[in-house]
Amino acid sequence: FDMYAIEEGVRLKERFGGKVNVVTMGPPQAESALREAISMGADEGYLVCDRAFAGSDTWATSYTLAAAIKAIGSFDLIICGKQASDGDTAQVGPGISTHLNIPQVTYVKKIEETSDKKLRIERMLEEGYEVIEAPLPLLLTVVKEINEPRIPSLKGLMRAKSAKITLLTQKQLNLDPQQI
């Protein structure tokens, strides 16, 4: 589901400008996922990686990712995949919004800008969809119906190969060891 989130971020950047930063939490080999995102058009990659994070549950993961997002800087929109492929709980995105104290909309299938400060969103329901207007900053979780992820271009692959991936550790994020 994260590929759809990355694609939507890049599409919004192409329509409205801005910057797409991608963040993942995992072991060192997760860097390859960040490089793939950069090859698709993301601007920068951040790997949240530390032995202290091993075995994190969804609460600890959302706490850690929220801290990483704060450390990276200001943002208007956070786009997450609907759920992870390993736990299928769909709790990390909403957990991040809770830790950052920003609104969230889940199961998003379409995003439209209505102003600098608001988005109009179509959110999937079991029997259709609903349209919501929500203020920025905002966190969204997206479903596969939102787009079709692009295949990276040769230029994108070359850029990704040489891109600097920023490592963020427990110490750099100054996290409470009891919370991770």
Side-chain angles (χ1 to χ4, degrees), residues 34-54:
L34 295 171
R35 292 195 185 282
E36 184 175 5
I38 291 169
S39 75
M40 293 172 64
D43 297 297
E44 294 181 16
Y46 296 85
L47 177 58
V48 181
C49 181
D50 195 305
R51 283 204 176 280
F53 303 145

Side-chain angles (χ1 to χ4, degrees), residues 3 6 10 20-25 27-48 150-167:
M3 297 300 287
I6 294 163
V10 172
V20 175
N21 293 326
V22 288
V23 182
T24 194
M25 180 173 149
Q29 51 271 37
E31 181 178 314
S32 65
L34 295 171
R35 292 195 185 282
E36 184 175 5
I38 291 169
S39 75
M40 293 172 64
D43 297 297
E44 294 181 16
Y46 296 85
L47 177 58
V48 181
R150 69 189 68 196
I151 295 172
S153 66
L154 181 58
K155 182 179 177 181
L157 291 167
M158 297 302 290
R159 191 170 73 80
K161 191 174 184 177
S162 63
K164 179 185 180 292
I165 302 297
T166 302
L167 179 66

Side-chain angles (χ1 to χ4, degrees), residues 10-11 25 80 122 131 147-148 152 160 179:
V10 172
R11 287 181 184 200
M25 180 173 149
C80 303
E122 288 184 16
V131 177
N147 61 46
E148 183 65 38
Q179 303 299 315

Side-chain angles (χ1 to χ4, degrees), residues 1-2 5 57-66 69 75 77-84 88-107 138-142:
F1 291 98
D2 290 340
D57 62 10
T58 56
W59 195 94
T61 299
S62 62
Y63 167 77
T64 303
L65 288 171
I69 291 165
F75 59 88
L77 183 62
I78 299 169
I79 308 174
C80 303
K82 175 183 84 163
Q83 64 193 47
D88 287 343
T89 63
Q91 293 178 357
V92 172
I96 293 169
S97 74
T98 300
H99 289 293
L100 294 175
N101 196 30
I102 61 172
Q104 64 175 301
V105 180
T106 57
Y107 302 102
L138 176 65
L139 181 137
L140 306 175
T141 67
V142 298

